[in-house]
Amino acid sequence: MDPTAIAGKLRDFIDREILEGQGGDLTADTRLLELGILDSFSLFLVIDYIGKEFGVRLELEALAAEDFASIAVIARTVGSKLAPSGPRP
Amino acid sequence: MDYSWTPEQDELYAGILRFARENLNATTLERDRTRRFGEEEWKKCAGFGLAGLCIPRESGGLGLDCLSTARALEALGRGCSDGGLGFSLSAHLFACAVPVHLHGSPDQKERYLARLASGEWIGANAITESEAGSDAFALKARARKEGDGYVISGEKSFVTNAPVARLFLVYASTAPENGFLGISAFLVERDTPGLKAGRPMETTGLTTSPISSLYLDDCRVPASALLGREGAGGSIFKDSMGWERSCLFAFWLGALERQLEETVDHAKSRRQFGHPIGSNQAVSHRIADMKLRLEAARLLLYRACWERAAGHPSELAASLAKLAVSEAFVASSLDAVQIFGGSGVMQEIGIERYLRDALPGTIYSGTSEMQRELIARALGLPPRRP
């Protein structure tokens, strides 16, 4: 799966589950941490979603703020960790 | 499913129970009244290995896994009437020593771990602030890089052990714009210029556990004081809370067991209208409910510990355990007071102390409301919009 498709799924998830459909302005480059969209609760929702949707397990201890700066950055991280066989159908 | 303990765990339990009953209760009532920390009792616990239960043997601890650590604390809670001592010991272990063990550099472990595990140094954890309680990561404390170190400024509230601690695990934001991922953890020694503990707080329960504010006024620490990497503080704290919510409350399981034994004895021996009061269903059913709460909470707690010991700790299990034990303790303490009647509210009897010690338990380590929030999120319920 290419990063653009991953970013699209992430955007939909964040809009639906975190912003309750109010994320009309949300783009791949929106600064998620700086704007408080990802706080200590919602961050874990995203990590959990990535595990379930893409089969990629992100260890919080190994992650830095830069890894969650924007949807585009998260998508690149997830894309780089996806197994060659790709995501779950 | 096998619920039995190993012979080693049974031996550990029996040994700590005997030690606690013989060594830790002589001055509890007097120290509760005068709000005095049991320095002698701390030393005795430390000498018995209780300050380093789950710290590796090579670092001076007992090297117990999570399940055995909890079982040891349950024995301590059953045998020791000083809830404040148990609380101080647990806070030292899970909120300071364990993070050093899990995240410390070889140099940090070399300098601190043996001292903490032996109880020579008492540890404390400083995260809560006046505006950052349940919203624990909304810290105002800041740590800015300066030269080859950091300068930390801020005020911390409700720092357990602060008046007596030699080492503080201080959480401060190094990059406020990064929220949770901008928090860093620092190991700050007591004699560091700029660090000052406030006056001991007068709390309702846990009166023998010294708690105060902590002030950091341009407190300069070397780069080597950083625990883990910059920005890992949130993760370190979350990890230590997992340990605390799973294990610390085992101490209160032990207290619930002791409370139940005392209440049953009282209901058998206290006679009114020519019969033991325990023959009245109004009393016996209350006691049955106390037993039910204890056993249900115990199952949840050891389930959480089992998951952790097996290498797959879950936040859900830890929250369920913490919530169950803390709320069982309040409810059963109210029942015990009611069953004991007038003597239940007399300080020298010790029954009302259970209630006072139980009350803070639904607040520290994350309030009951926050535990329910975590449980709801784990069930997939939507969060509140930011």
Side-chain angles (χ1 to χ4, degrees):
Chain A
M1 184 178 280
D2 70 274
T4 308
I6 296 171
K9 287 191 170 215
L10 283 169
R11 190 207 167 283
D12 289 348
F13 175 79
I14 291 172
D15 180 32
R16 185 179 67 248
E17 299 294 336
I18 297 172
L19 300 176
E20 293 182 351
Q22 302 297 307
D25 297 337
L26 190 65
T27 72
D29 297 318
T30 299
R31 310 303 289 175
L32 299 174
L33 291 170
E34 288 177 34
L35 295 176
I37 294 171
L38 291 189
D39 59 17
S40 58
F41 268 129
S42 51
L43 182 67
F44 293 100
L45 287 180
V46 172
I47 291 173
D48 188 51
Y49 170 73
I50 289 170
K52 287 175 180 162
E53 180 64 27
F54 304 109
V56 171
R57 187 179 163 89
L58 300 177
E59 295 293 345
L60 181 64
E61 200 178 331
L63 295 172
E66 301 80 65
D67 299 318
F68 283 88
S70 66
I71 289 171
V73 172
I74 301 172
R76 278 199 295 276
T77 305
V78 172
S80 70
K81 290 178 182 292
L82 277 175
S85 56
R88 296 189 324 187
Chain B
M1 193 172 280
D2 184 357
Y3 288 101
S4 59
W5 296 102
T6 64
E8 293 78 17
Q9 287 167 329
D10 281 338
E11 195 180 329
L12 177 77
Y13 183 92
I16 293 175
L17 181 60
R18 189 169 54 248
F19 159 78
R21 284 174 170 166
E22 291 173 0
N23 293 282
L24 302 179
N25 298 327
T27 62
T28 300
L29 178 61
E30 178 270 319
R31 287 188 297 98
D32 177 38
R33 283 177 171 157
T34 55
R35 301 179 171 276
R36 186 165 60 83
F37 175 61
E39 283 179 39
E40 287 308 311
E41 287 74 11
W42 175 277
K43 285 176 186 165
K44 288 176 185 172
C45 287
F48 205 77
L50 301 178
L53 287 170
C54 52
I55 303 302
R57 286 182 176 275
E58 60 268 28
S59 297
L62 295 187
L64 301 181
D65 70 3
C66 186
L67 270 169
S68 299
T69 297
R71 188 66 174 152
L73 283 173
E74 185 181 347
L76 182 66
R78 186 175 173 193
C80 172
S81 62
D82 183 353
L85 178 69
F87 182 63
S88 278
L89 194 75
S90 302
H92 153 91
L93 184 59
F94 300 118
C96 188
V98 165
V100 174
H101 158 50
L102 294 177
H103 306 282
S105 67
D107 285 348
Q108 287 169 334
K109 289 182 184 180
E110 171 80 22
R111 178 160 177 77
Y112 299 123
L113 216 42
R115 286 168 160 159
L116 291 170
S118 69
E120 177 195 349
W121 281 26
I122 297 176
N125 158 69
I127 186 163
T128 302
E129 299 176 0
S130 59
E131 299 301 321
S134 290
D135 190 3
F137 299 111
L139 300 182
K140 287 201 167 60
R142 297 284 184 263
R144 65 177 193 276
K145 254 189 162 162
E146 202 172 285
D148 57 356
Y150 294 86
V151 177
I152 310 173
S153 293
E155 291 184 15
K156 298 292 181 178
S157 321
F158 297 108
V159 180
T160 303
N161 293 340
V164 294
R166 288 283 299 273
L167 184 67
F168 296 87
L169 177 49
V170 175
Y171 294 88
S173 183
T174 41
E177 69 278 12
N178 291 334
F180 174 81
L181 292 171
I183 293 167
S184 300
F186 298 90
L187 293 168
V188 186
E189 296 184 20
R190 183 173 198 89
D191 55 5
T192 306
L195 181 141
K196 184 184 168 196
R199 197 168 52 84
M201 294 170 171
E202 295 190 359
T203 53
T204 298
L206 305 175
T207 53
T208 57
S209 176
I211 299 172
S212 76
S213 295
L214 187 73
Y215 304 99
L216 299 117
D217 183 13
D218 280 343
C219 186
R220 188 178 298 274
V221 296
S224 60
L226 182 68
L227 184 66
R229 59 176 169 71
E230 239 184 60
S235 163
I236 291 171
F237 179 73
K238 208 170 165 58
D239 201 28
S240 79
M241 278 299 100
W243 272 90
E244 195 167 298
R245 286 170 191 159
S246 303
C247 283
L248 185 152
F249 286 82
F251 180 87
W252 300 120
L253 283 181
L256 277 161
E257 181 87 54
R258 177 163 39 87
Q259 178 190 64
L260 181 63
E261 290 164 353
E262 291 170 358
T263 307
V264 168
D265 286 348
H266 179 76
K268 285 182 184 170
S269 61
R270 170 76 170 161
R271 297 177 74 87
Q272 291 287 277
F273 303 105
H275 301 284
I277 61 170
S279 64
N280 300 316
Q281 288 187 339
V283 171
S284 63
H285 287 194
R286 267 186 197 269
I287 294 175
D289 285 345
M290 291 169 72
K291 176 67 172 171
L292 177 65
R293 284 186 209 108
L294 166 60
E295 295 300 337
R298 180 183 273 138
L299 286 172
L300 284 168
L301 184 131
Y302 284 116
R303 165 67 189 255
C305 291
W306 173 79
E307 287 188 3
R308 184 164 287 276
H312 46 81
S314 89
E315 192 168 64
L316 172 61
S319 288
L320 286 168
K322 192 271 175 182
L323 185 60
V325 179
S326 62
E327 297 205 337
F329 197 21
V330 173
S332 291
S333 296
L334 283 167
D335 280 340
V337 166
Q338 194 66 25
I339 291 168
F340 272 78
S343 59
V345 292
M346 299 294 290
Q347 281 194 3
E348 59 265 38
I349 304 298
I351 295 300
E352 57 81 44
R353 191 165 58 245
Y354 287 119
L355 182 56
R356 284 190 285 116
D357 283 349
L359 290 173
T362 59
I363 298 169
Y364 64 74
S365 301
T367 60
S368 287
E369 289 76 11
M370 291 307 293
Q371 302 316 310
R372 287 189 168 85
E373 188 69 15
L374 290 165
I375 294 163
R377 301 288 176 91
L379 292 172
L381 293 166
R384 185 172 47 81
R385 252 179 70 206

